[in-house]
Amino acid sequence: MTDAAAWAVLCDFDGTVVPCETVELLYRRFAAPSCMELVEQWIRGEIGTQEELQGCFATMTASRGEMEAILDSVSIDPGFPALLELCRRQGHAFALVSEGLTWIINHILGRHGIHDVTTYANHIHFEPEGFRLSFPWHDARYPKRGVPKPVIVRCYQRQGWRVAYIGDGLTDLEVVGVADVVYARDRLLDYSRQHDLEVVGFSDFSELLEKKPFAR
């Protein structure tokens, strides 16, 4: 068990650490136009993450290098490095929890000098015959999710951590009421306020530095 005061900080990536949906950025540049209908079906809950990713990447025309050239333009929230460093200094566990791709996350963070961040996301494998996707965190209890965020949260809690979750989107909604505290902005904040769900609003990572468990 961990110390009773110990926190695990779990954080969404797309729309939270970065200002866009990174997979969609690649879809719009390199995938067939029909791919966006799969995205809309995913948003409506008609298909799962596996079907959306596999269907869209099957139409991709770009090489890894061409896609990474597009990803090189993606910025990160200016306050994110400071929050990550503070977590490390204070002994908080930190992990990214994303329905996106580990490759994209690592590439963008690496461009900003950030390395060795624990990440729960879907995997893409670049092979001679093309792309192959795998979903190491898939759980049958959440058939439409590649990375079921409540499962990750509960895993940390079983180890004795209190969990602070940071997110912006509707997949993050699934952790409201599961994590010990949820920091929300954009769509997640709007939805939570409309439905009287208990979250703490924030605008950027610099603001989070003044909230628990970061502020001393």
Side-chain angles (χ1 to χ4, degrees), residues 65-104:
E66 289 170 329
M67 289 189 286
E68 289 178 346
I70 298 297
L71 296 174
D72 288 345
S73 66
V74 177
S75 62
I76 64 172
D77 186 299
F80 175 71
L83 183 136
L84 177 61
E85 178 56 31
L86 185 61
C87 286
R88 289 170 170 171
R89 191 165 65 247
Q90 292 182 344
H92 304 317
F94 183 92
L96 293 167
V97 186
S98 172
E99 278 287 78
L101 295 170
T102 303
W103 154 65
I104 290 177

Side-chain angles (χ1 to χ4, degrees), residues 15-27:
T16 303
V17 176
V18 297
C20 62
E21 298 293 325
T22 53
V23 176
E24 283 190 37
L25 181 67
L26 298 181
Y27 291 166

Side-chain angles (χ1 to χ4, degrees), residues 140-161:
R141 292 170 292 178
Y142 294 83
K144 291 185 178 178
R145 295 287 177 249
V147 181
K149 297 180 179 185
V151 171
I152 306 300
V153 170
R154 291 189 179 102
C155 180
Y156 277 85
Q157 290 171 330
R158 285 196 299 272
Q159 296 173 38
W161 300 93

Side-chain angles (χ1 to χ4, degrees), residues 29-65:
R29 178 65 177 82
F30 298 117
S34 59
C35 168
M36 298 314 297
E37 175 55 30
L38 291 178
V39 174
E40 292 300 320
Q41 290 175 353
W42 180 84
I43 292 171
R44 294 192 298 265
E46 297 168 3
I47 64 172
T49 297
Q50 295 187 43
E51 186 175 349
E52 183 233 283
L53 283 171
Q54 290 170 335
C56 288
F57 269 89
T59 74
M60 284 287 196
T61 60
S63 67
R64 176 175 181 169

Side-chain angles (χ1 to χ4, degrees), residues 113-155:
I114 300 171
H115 305 280
D116 301 322
V117 178
T118 299
T119 299
Y120 302 90
N122 306 299
H123 292 180
I124 186 169
H125 310 271
F126 296 95
E127 300 174 338
E129 61 275 18
F131 313 118
R132 179 173 61 85
L133 291 150
S134 63
F135 303 89
W137 308 109
H138 178 69
D139 188 302
R141 292 170 292 178
Y142 294 83
K144 291 185 178 178
R145 295 287 177 249
V147 181
K149 297 180 179 185
V151 171
I152 306 300
V153 170
R154 291 189 179 102
C155 180

Side-chain angles (χ1 to χ4, degrees), residues 203-214:
S203 57
D204 57 41
F205 278 83
S206 296
E207 183 180 335
L208 286 176
L209 296 175
E210 301 174 0
K211 301 180 184 295
K212 71 173 186 181
F214 315 108

